[in-house]
Amino acid sequence: MIAMYYQNPITITGIDLPWIPSMGTRFHLSSDGVSLLMALITNVVVMVSMYVTLSENKAGQRQFYALLLLMQTFILGVFVAEDMFLYYIFWELSLIPAYFLVLLWGESPKIKPITLRFFLFTLFGSLLMLIAIITLGNMGEVGNYDLSIIEGLEIGIPTQLLLFVAFMVAFGIKSPIFPLHGWQADTYEAAPTSVTIILSGVMSKMAIYSIYKFVLPILPDAVNQYGSYVVLAATFGVFYASLLAMVQTNIKRMFAYVSMAHMGIIAAGLFPLNSNGLHGVMLQIAAHAVNTCGLFLVAHSLYKLNGSYDMASFGGLRQKMPLFAGAFLVILFGAIGVPFTNGFIGEFLILNSLYSYDVLSAILAGSGVILGAVYMLNLYKRVILGTDNKTNYLDINDVDKFLYLSLVFVIIITGVYSSWITKLCDASIQTILHSNYIQ
Amino acid sequence: MNILILLLIPFVTAAALLILSRKYTQTIAVVSSVVSVAVSAS
């Protein structure tokens, strides 16, 4: 679809059918460059997640894969829904398979309270969002949840502020943005790795996409007046998550905080409201999805070696597993944003736009990036370059080899040639900026 | 091409896994995910 969209955007059609006429809701799906990018990312991340499970023989395999595929369906629905009520239904539905996947196939003895916390956090945010959506849908003369109608509403500043708070709590929990991250590290650590990859690689992006798609065009005055508070919270979260990542000894939990730090940078990049920042966000969304897949895949490969995520139980793996060591290095470079890898350009554009928006936020985000390089290289030193612990590990098998090499290829290619993402998203970004923010 | 097809591929596969298939579960799921990527990139 992306190739077809490049040739002629009209060739990608949507669907618009009456759904519940008495409520004014429609089954309206449509796409632009950004939603097609999100759909591609979703499908790639789910594919990686499926590959991760290939070497495992899970109990209840049929149910497991069916739930993964249902989650994929509902997440895709979030990215292409043009009716806000339909969007909400997809958003809520995506939580149900996620809940059961974590609860039934989770890897922690405390899985029940962890899953309950994940569910309650997300549900609380969703309820606030539902109230906001119902308010918006009933603001016009005739109840209507279609995005094109809602975007045209004249909303007073006090109402915009209340709606902004409701939406940002919902999206701040899902992303997560500091201080609404309480569910994240435990859930990412306890979930099966294939599910963690989807939670981190795609579900967190649902929140960023939603801010971009709904909050920026519908609530421009609230974004202009109060966006700076979100930027400050998000960038402080980058710094805070980086500090937490530094002191972790559990590799999977450390990657959970790495993911939170990166999501903070992405969320902050939305609010300076300039073309560079938004393009940086889209690039970083794509980069984070690939890199986070890679990082959790690394954690999974290490866990398969000796059944532990403890950093101290590994050392000197470069001698026994040279291919794994090389692939891990490239993934790590992507995650810390080394030039010519996918993480560099997006991070640079976001930091650049943050600097012109608020210097303190830029410093907080920048320090998170520097700390990121410190703890990631320290991890690599201890696990790959450290003293050989004399265990006879075998290098990655053929399935993993294919997966790692594919990820390395994408990290480098997207780092060198990222303009396909900016071209794909440009029309959508310019529409949002020019209709609401650039006079 | 209609965007609805992106949602139908995983949804129909999930339904097929639950209702019909007791064999080749992994293969069907992986093929579905590869087809989804191919359709969204094509």
Side-chain angles (χ1 to χ4, degrees), chain A residues 349-398:
Chain A
L349 287 174
I350 292 173
L351 287 177
N352 198 21
S353 67
L354 274 179
Y355 184 77
S356 57
Y357 181 71
D358 176 23
V359 177
L360 175 63
S361 298
I363 290 170
L364 282 169
S367 58
V369 171
I370 293 164
L371 287 175
V374 173
Y375 60 70
M376 292 295 269
L377 290 171
N378 184 44
L379 169 73
Y380 194 81
K381 187 185 85 180
R382 290 175 67 178
V383 172
I384 304 292
L385 306 176
T387 318
D388 185 358
N389 61 8
K390 307 293 181 199
T391 312
N392 278 326
Y393 294 133
L394 294 173
D395 208 345
I396 44 181
N397 62 28
D398 285 345

Side-chain angles (χ1 to χ4, degrees), chain A residues 19-39:
Chain A
W19 185 27
I20 312 173
S22 58
M23 279 178 62
T25 60
R26 302 181 68 80
F27 192 85
H28 187 183
L29 307 178
S30 179
S31 64
D32 58 10
V34 172
S35 51
L36 285 177
L37 175 70
M38 303 307 295

Side-chain angles (χ1 to χ4, degrees), chain A residues 396-416:
Chain A
I396 44 181
N397 62 28
D398 285 345
V399 173
D400 287 352
K401 231 178 256 180
F402 172 73
L403 199 51
Y404 275 110
L405 291 179
S406 306
L407 287 173
V408 165
F409 177 77
V410 172
I411 287 170
I412 294 172
I413 288 295
T414 322
V416 177

Side-chain angles (χ1 to χ4, degrees), chain A residues 29-332:
Chain A
L29 307 178
S30 179
S31 64
D32 58 10
V34 172
S35 51
L36 285 177
L37 175 70
M38 303 307 295
L40 178 67
I41 288 170
T42 305
N43 292 333
V44 168
V45 169
V46 171
M47 186 176 71
V48 173
S49 157
M50 297 273 184
Y51 271 106
V52 167
T53 60
L54 277 184
S55 54
E56 297 170 358
N57 199 7
K58 288 185 183 299
Q61 217 172 44
R62 268 194 324 148
Q63 290 81 353
F64 179 83
Y65 285 113
L67 285 170
L68 270 188
L69 288 162
L70 285 176
M71 191 155 88
Q72 180 185 10
T73 308
F74 301 141
I75 293 172
L76 286 168
V78 166
F79 292 137
V80 295
E82 281 289 307
D83 182 283
M84 287 203 78
F85 193 77
L86 179 64
Y87 155 85
Y88 177 78
I89 296 291
F90 279 128
W91 175 282
E92 278 302 290
L93 285 176
S94 70
L95 178 63
I96 295 167
Y99 171 77
F100 283 110
L101 283 165
V102 178
L103 180 69
L104 300 178
W105 286 274
E107 296 166 350
S108 163
K110 293 180 185 169
I111 195 69
K112 281 185 182 169
I114 289 172
T115 320
L116 185 66
R117 187 151 40 123
F118 162 58
F119 191 79
L120 290 178
F121 256 91
T122 318
L123 195 68
F124 172 70
S126 301
L127 287 175
L128 286 179
M129 181 167 72
L130 178 64
I131 294 167
I133 288 175
I134 290 173
T135 309
L136 283 170
N138 289 290
M139 272 187 166
E141 288 179 12
V142 183
N144 199 319
Y145 291 89
D146 203 90
L147 189 59
S148 57
I149 305 285
I150 289 177
E151 277 179 2
L153 292 172
E154 293 284 334
I155 308 171
I157 291 181
T159 315
Q160 280 203 31
L161 174 62
L162 291 173
L163 294 171
F164 181 74
V165 171
F167 276 123
M168 287 315 300
V169 170
F171 302 144
I173 288 172
K174 199 79 162 191
S175 177
I177 296 172
F178 179 88
L180 302 168
H181 62 282
W183 62 273
Q184 187 243 19
D186 285 340
T187 310
Y188 281 18
E189 186 189 345
T193 304
S194 49
V195 179
T196 308
I197 284 175
I198 297 182
L199 290 178
S200 167
V202 187
M203 281 194 102
S204 57
K205 314 294 186 304
M206 279 165 48
I208 302 295
Y209 172 82
S210 303
I211 297 172
Y212 169 81
K213 180 87 176 176
F214 303 117
V215 176
L216 298 191
I218 297 171
L219 310 169
D221 296 325
V223 169
N224 273 327
Q225 290 190 23
Y226 304 104
S228 56
Y229 297 107
V230 180
V231 171
L232 202 58
T235 49
F236 181 77
V238 175
F239 184 68
Y240 175 74
S242 301
L243 287 179
L244 286 175
M246 280 185 95
V247 296
Q248 299 303 319
T249 53
N250 181 309
I251 295 169
K252 202 175 176 191
R253 196 174 178 84
M254 178 184 173
F255 290 158
Y257 286 117
V258 173
S259 177
M260 181 186 157
H262 286 163
M263 289 311 296
I265 293 180
I266 295 172
L270 287 165
F271 291 92
L273 295 163
N274 56 49
S275 181
N276 274 350
L278 291 179
H279 277 303
V281 167
M282 297 309 156
L283 288 164
Q284 198 61 8
I285 282 176
H288 180 261
V290 174
N291 296 335
T292 206
C293 280
L295 290 176
F296 285 112
L297 187 63
V298 164
H300 184 65
S301 296
L302 291 171
Y303 184 78
K304 281 199 293 187
L305 292 176
N306 68 0
S308 167
Y309 290 114
D310 186 13
M311 219 184 281
S313 66
F314 302 100
L317 290 183
R318 74 189 183 286
Q319 289 156 1
K320 308 278 169 42
M321 307 174 70
L323 198 65
F324 172 75
F328 183 14
L329 188 66
V330 176
I331 292 166
L332 184 144

